Amino acid sequence: MLVYSKYADDILLDLLKKDDQLAYTEIFERYCKLLVNHAYKMLGNPDEANDVVQEVFLSIWNKRYELTITGSLSSYLYKATKNRILNHIAHEKVVSNYAESISNFIENDYVLADSQLREEELEAIIAKEIELLPAKMREVFLLRKVEDLSYEEIALQLNITDKTAKQQVYNSLKILREKLKNFVGVFVW
């Protein structure tokens, strides 16, 4: 290994192209720490910096037969590291945007869908409980709360007093509140 440490970069590259693993090891030993420090300055994360540099060296090994470097090896390695960092940052941005869109969906759309589902379930329960009211009481209740008729209009239509209409609505609300108190903490009509 001592002999390889004395070789210039261009000689190491020629040996690397001839499948010389010791030449590759020397290139790695010569530049790894420098490249990791460079990557760390750009990424701010030592694990990510190490990963990026490992990817650069893996790429060099995998492409060793067709590797063409114009200029110095150190310039090539710094540029390759910089490109990997930029790809990493772009990938992280895509992942971050995706995570943000998922988070927005969960916070907004999912909650809205869940809220709509609960509302529909509650409406079905209320409709069922209204159907269970005594017939005359149900009729008065629906005319007041669904048809939005006044007590006087209900009294005229059903040939009852407006006081009876008010009492029927009051009684129906009392029954419904009692039956629905397990479903809703405060139930306001």
Side-chain angles (χ1 to χ4, degrees), residues 106-139:
I106 289 170
E107 289 175 10
N108 299 324
D109 298 341
Y110 178 76
V111 170
L112 181 62
D114 186 50
S115 174
Q116 288 172 338
L117 182 62
R118 288 177 193 224
E119 187 176 322
E120 289 170 8
E121 289 174 355
L122 184 58
E123 286 174 5
I125 291 167
I126 292 170
K128 179 182 157 225
E129 293 300 331
I130 290 171
E131 285 300 313
L132 296 174
L133 291 172
K136 197 67 163 173
M137 188 184 290
R138 180 176 59 243
E139 184 178 12

Side-chain angles (χ1 to χ4, degrees), residues 136 143 152-162 164:
K136 197 67 163 173
L143 288 173
E152 293 80 22
E153 292 170 321
I154 295 169
L156 284 173
Q157 187 173 333
L158 299 178
N159 199 23
I160 58 174
T161 66
D162 61 337
T164 301

Side-chain angles (χ1 to χ4, degrees), residues 74-87:
S74 62
S75 295
Y76 175 84
L77 290 171
Y78 275 99
K79 189 171 185 173
T81 302
K82 181 180 134 201
N83 289 340
R84 290 275 177 177
I85 290 168
L86 294 175
N87 288 344

Side-chain angles (χ1 to χ4, degrees), residues 141-159:
F141 178 81
L142 291 173
L143 288 173
R144 177 71 181 145
K145 296 299 181 181
V146 177
E147 300 294 325
D148 203 26
L149 297 180
S150 69
Y151 291 115
E152 293 80 22
E153 292 170 321
I154 295 169
L156 284 173
Q157 187 173 333
L158 299 178
N159 199 23

Side-chain angles (χ1 to χ4, degrees), residues 3-178:
V3 174
Y4 285 88
S5 65
K6 296 179 182 177
Y7 289 152
D9 288 349
D10 56 334
I11 294 171
L12 290 172
L13 277 174
D14 288 338
L15 292 170
L16 176 65
K17 289 178 187 180
K18 295 175 184 166
D19 215 19
D20 189 325
Q21 291 181 3
L22 293 176
Y24 173 78
T25 303
E26 177 58 32
I27 293 169
F28 181 86
E29 294 290 328
R30 197 175 284 185
Y31 290 103
C32 183
K33 285 183 183 178
L34 296 170
L35 294 174
V36 168
N37 287 336
H38 175 66
Y40 177 73
K41 287 177 189 173
M42 292 181 74
L43 293 170
N45 182 313
D47 293 331
E48 290 178 4
N50 275 311
D51 290 347
V52 164
V53 172
Q54 292 298 325
E55 289 172 14
V56 168
F57 279 105
L58 181 62
S59 176
I60 288 172
W61 179 255
N62 289 336
K63 296 179 181 177
R64 65 189 174 277
Y65 300 118
E66 64 268 359
L67 195 63
T68 305
I69 297 177
T70 55
S72 70
L73 175 62
S74 62
S75 295
Y76 175 84
L77 290 171
Y78 275 99
K79 189 171 185 173
T81 302
K82 181 180 134 201
N83 289 340
R84 290 275 177 177
I85 290 168
L86 294 175
N87 288 344
H88 177 77
I89 290 170
H91 175 72
E92 288 297 314
K93 187 171 183 174
V94 167
V95 169
S96 174
N97 287 343
Y98 179 72
E100 186 176 327
S101 73
I102 295 273
S103 177
N104 286 339
F105 169 77
I106 289 170
E107 289 175 10
N108 299 324
D109 298 341
Y110 178 76
V111 170
L112 181 62
D114 186 50
S115 174
Q116 288 172 338
L117 182 62
R118 288 177 193 224
E119 187 176 322
E120 289 170 8
E121 289 174 355
L122 184 58
E123 286 174 5
I125 291 167
I126 292 170
K128 179 182 157 225
E129 293 300 331
I130 290 171
E131 285 300 313
L132 296 174
L133 291 172
K136 197 67 163 173
M137 188 184 290
R138 180 176 59 243
E139 184 178 12
V140 173
F141 178 81
L142 291 173
L143 288 173
R144 177 71 181 145
K145 296 299 181 181
V146 177
E147 300 294 325
D148 203 26
L149 297 180
S150 69
Y151 291 115
E152 293 80 22
E153 292 170 321
I154 295 169
L156 284 173
Q157 187 173 333
L158 299 178
N159 199 23
I160 58 174
T161 66
D162 61 337
K163 187 174 179 181
T164 301
K166 284 181 186 178
Q167 189 62 46
Q168 291 287 354
V169 171
Y170 174 80
N171 291 342
S172 61
L173 286 173
K174 188 175 175 184
I175 291 167
L176 290 172
R177 280 190 185 108
E178 184 61 32

